[in-house]
Amino acid sequence: MKNIKLFILLFTGLVLHYQSHAQDAAYVEANYDKAEYQIPMRDGIKLHTVVYTPKDKSQKYPFMMQRTPYSSGPYGEGKLKTGLGPSPKMMKEGYIFVYQDVRGRWMSEGKYDNMRPTVPHRKKGSQEIDESTDTYDTIEWLLKNVTNHNGKFGQWGISYPGFYAAAALPFSHPALKAVSPQAPIGDFYFDDFHHNGAYFLSYWAATVVFGYQHDGPTDKPWYAMVNPGTKDAYQFYMDMGSLKNADKYYGEDNFFWTELKENPDYNEFWQKRSIIPHLQDVKPAVMTVGGWFDAEDLYGPLTIYKTIEKNNPNTYNTLVIGPWSHGDWSRELGIQKVSNIYFGDSISTWYQNNVEAEFFHHFLKGSADGKTGLPEAYIFDTGKNEWQKFDAWPPKEVENKILYPHANGDLNMESPKGNNVSTFISDPAKPVPHSPDIKFNFTPRKYMADDQRFAARRPDVLVFETDVLEEDVTLAGEIMAKLMVSTSETDADWIVKLVDVFPGDTPDHDYVQEGTHMSHYHMMVRSEVIRGRYRDSFSEPKPFVPNQKTEVPLQLQDVMHTFKKGHKIQIQIQSTWFPLIDRNPQKYVENIFKADDADFIKATHSVYHDAEMPTAIHVQVLK
């Protein structure tokens, strides 16, 4: 009965979605004209740009621009997008919507570069280019060549287009007044393809999208996805073995795969591609948006917001983090859920209408005095399922607390006594799965809220949990795990997971997937990994001394979650997380991308709980 009801609800949501989709398409055709341009940049390269202008000429409109590596199409006369802008509301309010293929992609000329480095010093008359100069030159051309505008520009984008929005902030054009980087990549060594030095194997299939140049402008894909020959991702990657065996799929033809292989450390190659150091002297108003369950880009939104806030105290700078996976806020399917966790209905539409549209309207059509009526931080509590407003993030109203794991499995705020240790054997031949699913994903999604019972019951996962909570506990802000560990070998990965353990009498809701129940559900709230060789420096790796107690600091991403009365707070610690991340051989090798299959060995790992230097999880608790 539950499955029939769920099917009806999901089917109804899809029907409503496609009806709305059709209505939007009809609206575009009736109310907008389309033009395509090849806009010259300062070095002579032309970028393909599609402009949709309102047919109603009774007023002047601001520009809203998105720059993308994923195609500004459909291309050609009479071929229109089925929806414009960030939302139907903004489409109907009226803007001049601009879509541009970035340099080297689709119908644009030039050579493509992943996370193209920002030129730090501008020389007058220089032909040096970056994403900031391409944005600047585009704005300058459009102001001169498109009519009926009010002289103001906004820019937005999600994921990679979110990076291009952030990359417009340094040395921005004076007409660029409001920018919303959404799920932006901040640094490819900490977003998407890496987390703290660990390679995210789950993105391996996506490498094809970013690793091939094309001969010239094209309106058709020039790359083909790898056919794994199976739907079982875990088995596919186990059969592949060492990462060097992946060369048969990409080889040297895929320049991005070569860059990944040849740059395992946080060297100059990655450092110069980070947008974070360049977020200074930011002039436009900024609203950074992200999702608490965004498996691709959570580092980017949080770090970009905090960096702008630190470096630009007089800039209008706000943060919105909701109960979304990657880009969920841009689409409306009725219910908002991630994995088996249901957060509410029409949360995306509420955000689009009451937050996003208000931000852009204020700075592009309104007074632009910064009095938007929006808070500094709009943050969703993923335990209470409600929005909270803060005047700073992390909130000022927090207390710093420490959760201590104990050798008997307890987790509390009492420092351990004596000299105790927890040990487990980590075997790369039988790595801990990151999800109970076997699905072969293009990129991961639902695992960030998955039920963690399957992992808690493995011998190679350490589990620590509090007593049943007698009152609500809200974690709001940053989390730092300071692990005191050792390994019998010379390298190891360390994964820390923060889990909300539900009571046994928790009822199922209408959207629980078949075979799962919310009774004793282990909801993953936050998780992160560090490749142990980078414990002191991401640029200068070093092996562990076997069996020597060593501190490994691991910064998890921020959290806003209320652990309710009757629940438990749980910490899981493990060393494999497959195939989310690649396997660490546990024998130190210079470059894991080039490890031999024989390098992968078992190791005994230890986590220490002694009075002098205990393993500790530093959290911020809302007062």
Side-chain angles (χ1 to χ4, degrees):
M1 187 68 182
K2 182 184 77 173
N3 289 337
I4 294 174
K5 187 176 182 180
L6 175 58
F7 173 80
I8 292 172
L9 287 166
L10 293 176
F11 179 76
T12 302
L14 287 171
V15 169
L16 293 173
H17 171 74
Y18 286 116
Q19 286 177 344
S20 176
H21 193 67
Q23 292 169 357
D24 290 346
Y27 189 91
V28 173
E29 185 174 7
N31 292 277
Y32 283 88
D33 293 320
K34 173 190 168 187
E36 299 186 43
Y37 305 102
Q38 291 293 114
I39 299 180
M41 300 294 104
R42 63 190 62 189
D43 62 347
I45 291 295
K46 295 183 177 66
L47 302 188
H48 190 81
T49 309
V50 184
V51 180
Y52 291 83
T53 56
K55 291 182 178 181
D56 176 14
K57 308 301 181 185
S58 65
Q59 59 178 303
K60 295 184 183 300
Y61 302 92
F63 292 92
M64 276 292 294
M65 180 166 63
Q66 181 186 95
R67 305 185 66 241
T68 179
Y70 300 130
S71 173
S72 64
Y75 305 103
E77 186 177 352
K79 296 180 180 179
L80 307 175
K81 286 186 176 294
T82 56
L84 297 175
S87 69
K89 179 178 174 66
M90 290 187 65
M91 177 179 69
K92 293 173 183 177
E93 285 182 345
Y95 290 82
I96 300 171
F97 291 106
V98 178
Y99 297 87
Q100 184 177 75
D101 293 331
V102 297
R103 186 177 291 254
R105 299 291 284 187
W106 296 90
M107 290 294 287
S108 286
E109 299 175 350
K111 185 178 180 180
Y112 179 65
D113 194 359
N114 280 296
M115 300 287 287
R116 188 184 303 277
T118 297
V119 178
H121 306 290
R122 297 294 197 266
K123 298 178 182 177
K124 191 173 182 180
S126 171
Q127 299 300 301
E128 287 186 284
I129 59 90
D130 57 20
E131 302 306 338
S132 174
T133 64
D134 281 355
T135 306
Y136 192 106
D137 294 349
T138 298
I139 292 175
E140 189 76 2
W141 191 94
L142 290 169
L143 287 171
K144 294 176 181 178
N145 292 277
V146 174
T147 60
N148 213 46
H149 63 75
N150 71 357
K152 295 182 179 181
F153 264 81
Q155 186 170 347
W156 93 104
I158 298 173
S159 193
Y160 223 140
F163 159 74
Y164 291 111
L169 294 171
F171 313 102
S172 61
H173 194 286
L176 186 61
K177 302 299 184 182
V179 177
S180 183
Q182 302 181 6
I185 308 164
D187 188 318
F188 251 165
Y189 203 75
F190 302 97
D191 279 306
D192 288 294
F193 289 90
H194 298 88
H195 281 215
N196 299 311
Y199 171 60
F200 258 49
L201 184 61
S202 50
Y203 288 83
W204 177 82
T207 312
V208 67
V209 178
F210 308 107
Y212 295 106
Q213 304 287 357
H214 57 77
D215 295 333
T218 177
D219 61 357
K220 295 179 176 59
W222 59 99
Y223 51 82
M225 303 305 295
V226 170
N227 181 2
T230 176
K231 295 181 179 180
D232 188 332
Y234 188 103
Q235 194 61 51
F236 171 79
Y237 288 114
M238 286 301 296
D239 291 343
M240 178 188 286
S242 169
L243 286 175
K244 74 176 186 178
N245 299 324
D247 285 354
K248 67 181 180 181
Y249 296 98
Y250 293 144
E252 295 182 359
D253 292 338
N254 188 306
F255 72 87
F256 187 43
W257 176 242
T258 299
E259 290 168 348
L260 287 164
K261 287 191 308 178
E262 299 301 326
N263 298 281
D265 308 327
Y266 192 52
N267 56 17
E268 183 184 7
F269 176 83
W270 296 114
Q271 291 171 18
K272 69 182 183 181
R273 281 168 165 72
S274 175
I275 193 62
I276 306 302
H278 304 286
L279 298 174
Q280 304 178 46
D281 195 27
V282 172
K283 296 294 196 305
V286 184
M287 183 181 74
T288 305
V289 180
W292 283 132
F293 302 97
D294 189 338
E296 299 185 39
D297 301 300
L298 185 52
Y299 170 89
L302 290 166
T303 308
I304 285 173
Y305 164 76
K306 291 177 183 179
T307 303
I308 294 174
E309 193 70 10
K310 177 182 178 182
N311 295 342
N312 308 270
N314 297 320
T315 296
Y316 183 94
N317 179 48
T318 60
L319 178 68
V320 181
I321 305 285
W324 300 304
S325 61
H326 193 61
D328 280 352
W329 53 92
S330 67
R331 45 188 171 259
E332 181 57 79
L333 291 175
I335 64 170
Q336 177 58 39
K337 70 184 280 280
V338 179
S339 187
N340 291 289
I341 306 300
Y342 166 65
F343 297 106
D345 297 332
S346 300
I347 295 174
S348 297
T349 296
W350 177 88
Y351 150 78
Q352 291 170 11
N353 293 345
N354 297 286
V355 182
E356 183 178 55
E358 290 297 314
F359 168 76
F360 282 114
H361 187 279
H362 177 83
F363 288 103
L364 301 180
K365 294 186 175 186
S367 65
D369 61 3
K371 298 177 182 178
T372 61
L374 300 173
E376 171 78 12
Y378 240 139
I379 308 295
F380 195 89
D381 185 324
T382 56
K384 285 187 174 179
N385 289 354
E386 62 185 32
W387 288 98
Q388 300 283 351
K389 298 178 181 180
F390 298 102
D391 57 10
W393 186 263
K396 297 175 183 177
E397 310 85 3
V398 294
E399 293 180 297
N400 294 322
K401 299 286 188 180
I402 301 176
L403 293 170
Y404 294 101
H406 294 261
N408 64 356
D410 286 347
L411 180 70
N412 55 48
M413 295 182 182
E414 297 177 7
S415 182
K417 296 178 175 57
N419 296 291
N420 297 301
V421 63
S422 300
T423 63
F424 63 97
I425 296 173
S426 176
D427 185 357
K430 295 183 179 180
V432 180
H434 75 280
S435 170
D437 300 340
I438 65 166
K439 184 179 180 181
F440 201 106
N441 290 305
F442 176 69
T443 56
R445 273 190 179 271
K446 63 182 281 293
Y447 87 92
M448 289 188 73
D450 266 346
D451 187 352
Q452 296 301 304
R453 276 176 284 200
F454 75 96
R457 293 164 181 170
R458 284 185 57 122
D460 47 359
V461 177
L462 299 179
V463 179
F464 310 93
E465 64 182 29
T466 64
D467 293 336
V468 174
L469 298 177
E470 297 181 356
E471 58 183 18
D472 290 357
V473 176
T474 301
L475 301 190
E478 298 178 345
I479 308 174
M480 169 63 82
K482 293 186 177 180
L483 306 177
M484 293 304 303
V485 299
S486 68
T487 174
S488 62
E489 299 299 331
T490 49
D491 202 3
D493 292 342
W494 298 96
I495 295 106
V496 173
K497 297 187 289 190
L498 173 67
V499 177
D500 185 343
V501 180
F502 289 26
D505 60 358
T506 304
D508 289 344
H509 53 73
D510 291 332
Y511 315 115
V512 179
Q513 68 188 48
E514 178 68 23
T516 298
H517 295 282
M518 302 311 293
S519 173
H520 290 305
Y521 192 90
H522 285 35
M523 173 191 176
M524 191 157 76
V525 174
R526 187 60 68 241
S527 56
E528 194 53 279
V529 58
I530 184 170
R531 185 135 285 171
R533 60 176 59 201
Y534 299 115
R535 61 196 179 275
D536 294 331
S537 168
F538 291 110
S539 302
E540 299 178 6
K542 65 181 181 182
F544 285 87
V545 176
N547 300 314
Q548 179 174 297
K549 188 188 300 184
T550 306
E551 181 174 356
V552 177
L554 171 55
Q555 182 79 54
L556 283 74
Q557 301 304 332
D558 295 6
V559 67
M560 176 72 190
H561 186 85
T562 295
F563 295 80
K564 293 182 178 180
K565 177 182 177 180
H567 290 226
K568 296 179 182 179
I569 302 173
Q570 184 185 92
I571 294 292
Q572 296 184 9
I573 300 175
Q574 60 198 66
S575 283
T576 51
W577 212 17
F578 192 79
L580 187 69
I581 63 170
D582 67 318
R583 295 173 302 146
N584 190 321
Q586 305 189 139
K587 168 187 175 183
Y588 188 90
V589 295
E590 290 300 319
N591 186 341
I592 292 178
F593 285 90
K594 300 179 180 181
D596 293 324
D597 288 326
D599 291 329
F600 292 80
I601 56 176
K602 290 182 181 180
T604 299
H605 298 328
S606 298
V607 175
Y608 293 89
H609 319 279
D610 58 53
E612 186 177 343
M613 298 180 69
T615 291
I617 314 298
H618 295 252
V619 297
Q620 295 183 301
V621 179
L622 195 64
K623 297 179 184 177

